[in-house]
Amino acid sequence: MAALSVWFWNERFWLPHNVTWADLADPAPGVEYPKAGHLLSALPLALGIFAVRIFFERFIAGPCASILQIQTEVSRRAQPNAVLEKVFTSITKCPDTRHLDGLSKQLDWEVRKVQRWFRHRRNQDKPSTRTKFCESMWRFMFYLCIFTYGICFLWQSTWIWDTRHCWYNYPYQDFLIMFVHHLATISLISFSYVNNMLRVGSLVMCVHDASDFLLEAAKLANYAKYQRLCDILFVVFGIIFFGTRLIIYPFWILNTTLFESWDIIGPYPSWWLFNFLLLVLQVLHIIWSYLIARIAFKAIMRGKVSKDDRSDIESSSEEETETPTKERLKTGTSPRGENGTNGHFGSKSWNQNHNDW
């Protein structure tokens, strides 16, 4: 283990030339540098945030949902059946024709009855609109507070205006002021923390926090059936997302991590890894931007997008399953959006993208 620890914490990988861990271990009085052990402080902080979330969703978001008349949908529960339950939990939740035929013969049920059972069973596991509303309201408040705090802090910092200050005197840069801020987002910036790249790490987080709370605000409007407000918020979210991820991030953040840092401190092994991860993130930005643009395009051209598979309740109406596709095409109709809206901006892609972020 000792040999593995020495290999992992090799100074020539993590630090610039002529800098050692000993230089960071004994700073001048009143100055302190990050240590890897500080990352353990994130564990009790995470538990505390989780407790705050439970309190917030129960005593703040829940009453807000009641005021907006967002109730928990009562979905029809599947009748108990050991055979189907075993298939559902261990084989497939959406059986194909072969499975349906086999189960139909085994239980002496009609195929449609088996289909209906699986539909009802899937609906049992999906969170209600009220639950989603409370989750999104918590994320909205959390992201908004974190972003506001980051902006208030960075506004007084020289490196937000001149990114070259991210590298002057590196790695001998005090971190106490930023300690709490980085604990809140330690899972995303642990690399910059261990390496004491806190200044540029704070800029990366600020860029990414700028649009998250708007996404949750749009979701809240969608769940509350304020469709026009939902559309407006989504448009604003898209503009800010594109601006921060496709313009500010590559031309401001990557410019300083790739070129300004090269000029001031020079490259070293972990520098290459750090920039590689940032470039991978930029590739993801492009992919996410494409998905968001596709949502907007569908909304403009068709007035609807994909539903939220995570939460929308599947219809148990036999009429829906029996309506021929050709008849819909003849009449020019399309299924109405879930949650009482016209489906302009459904939340499937929102949830998928947001979880990836």
Side-chain angles (χ1 to χ4, degrees):
M1 290 298 295
L4 179 62
S5 177
V6 171
W7 172 82
F8 182 81
W9 293 110
N10 188 292
E11 294 170 341
R12 296 285 59 84
F13 176 81
W14 290 103
L15 300 174
H17 301 292
N18 301 322
V19 178
T20 67
W21 292 120
D23 297 330
L24 301 178
D26 299 313
V31 178
E32 189 173 358
Y33 300 129
K35 298 178 177 62
H38 292 157
L39 298 178
L40 298 177
S41 303
L43 298 178
L45 179 64
L47 293 176
I49 293 177
F50 180 71
V52 172
R53 172 177 180 169
I54 293 176
F55 176 87
F56 180 89
E57 291 187 359
R58 178 170 299 180
F59 297 105
I60 298 178
C64 289
S66 299
I67 293 174
L68 294 171
Q69 299 181 346
I70 301 176
Q71 304 298 328
T72 301
E73 300 93 345
V74 180
S75 59
R76 185 174 179 179
R77 301 184 65 84
Q79 67 184 81
N81 187 292
V83 175
L84 296 181
E85 185 67 27
K86 183 177 181 179
V87 174
F88 183 87
T89 56
S90 60
I91 300 179
T92 178
K93 296 182 180 180
C94 300
D96 56 19
T97 303
R98 181 175 60 85
H99 283 106
L100 289 173
D101 291 338
L103 292 171
S104 175
K105 294 177 182 178
Q106 182 178 354
L107 298 174
D108 195 22
W109 284 11
E110 293 182 0
V111 172
R112 177 162 297 181
K113 185 177 180 180
V114 179
Q115 289 178 318
R116 188 184 305 114
W117 188 95
F118 276 92
R119 181 168 59 246
H120 292 162
R121 184 62 182 83
R122 288 192 297 268
N123 288 340
Q124 290 179 202
D125 295 338
K126 294 182 178 180
S128 64
T129 301
R130 182 186 178 91
T131 300
K132 290 204 309 171
F133 177 89
C134 293
E135 292 176 353
S136 289
M137 188 171 183
W138 159 254
R139 289 195 294 264
F140 167 76
M141 292 301 301
F142 180 79
Y143 295 146
L144 179 60
C145 292
I146 289 296
F147 177 68
T148 303
Y149 170 78
I151 286 294
C152 292
F153 169 74
L154 288 173
W155 204 260
Q156 308 172 42
S157 306
T158 55
W159 57 90
I160 192 175
W161 308 109
D162 183 359
T163 52
R164 298 181 67 85
H165 281 274
C166 291
W167 314 107
Y168 290 148
N169 201 35
Y170 175 80
Y172 307 109
Q173 299 169 349
D174 190 18
F175 87 109
L176 288 176
I177 301 177
M178 304 175 68
F179 184 69
V180 176
H181 174 72
H182 280 295
L183 280 178
T185 54
I186 199 65
S187 62
L188 296 177
I189 56 173
S190 57
F191 187 101
S192 68
Y193 189 89
V194 171
N195 235 24
N196 204 11
M197 293 184 178
L198 302 186
R199 293 182 176 180
V200 70
S202 65
L203 297 181
V204 173
M205 288 306 305
C206 181
V207 167
H208 286 79
D209 288 342
S211 59
D212 286 350
F213 69 94
L214 290 169
L215 176 66
E216 299 304 327
K219 287 184 181 181
L220 291 174
N222 182 51
Y223 302 147
K225 303 179 183 178
Y226 293 112
Q227 192 61 48
R228 186 174 297 276
L229 177 60
C230 169
D231 295 349
I232 294 173
L233 288 172
F234 184 81
V235 170
V236 175
F237 159 77
I239 293 173
I240 295 180
F241 185 92
F242 295 145
T244 55
R245 309 295 176 98
L246 299 183
I247 299 177
I248 295 178
Y249 181 83
F251 295 104
W252 186 41
I253 302 296
L254 292 182
N255 175 68
T256 188
T257 61
L258 288 170
F259 304 111
E260 293 178 348
S261 65
W262 182 294
D263 293 337
I264 297 174
I265 65 173
Y268 49 99
S270 67
W271 180 94
W272 292 99
L273 175 61
F274 181 66
N275 280 284
F276 170 75
L277 294 175
L278 292 178
L279 289 171
V280 170
L281 189 58
Q282 179 58 33
V283 173
L284 294 177
H285 291 168
I286 296 173
I287 296 174
W288 295 331
S289 297
Y290 163 74
L291 295 175
I292 293 174
R294 188 172 65 175
I295 295 174
F297 177 77
K298 286 184 178 181
I300 294 173
M301 300 302 294
R302 304 181 186 178
K304 64 168 185 167
V305 294
S306 300
K307 301 178 192 175
D308 183 354
D309 287 341
R310 186 179 75 100
S311 60
D312 288 345
I313 303 300
E314 298 177 59
S315 173
S316 61
S317 170
E318 296 295 328
E319 294 180 0
E320 179 179 339
T321 60
E322 294 175 354
T323 302
T325 304
K326 291 183 179 180
E327 182 178 341
R328 285 183 177 172
L329 293 175
K330 289 179 181 179
T331 58
T333 59
S334 60
R336 182 175 176 81
E338 297 292 335
N339 301 328
T341 67
N342 59 4
H344 285 181
F345 292 123
S347 55
K348 175 182 180 180
S349 297
W350 292 0
N351 288 328
Q352 180 180 352
N353 292 343
H354 183 68
N355 291 332
D356 290 339
W357 302 334

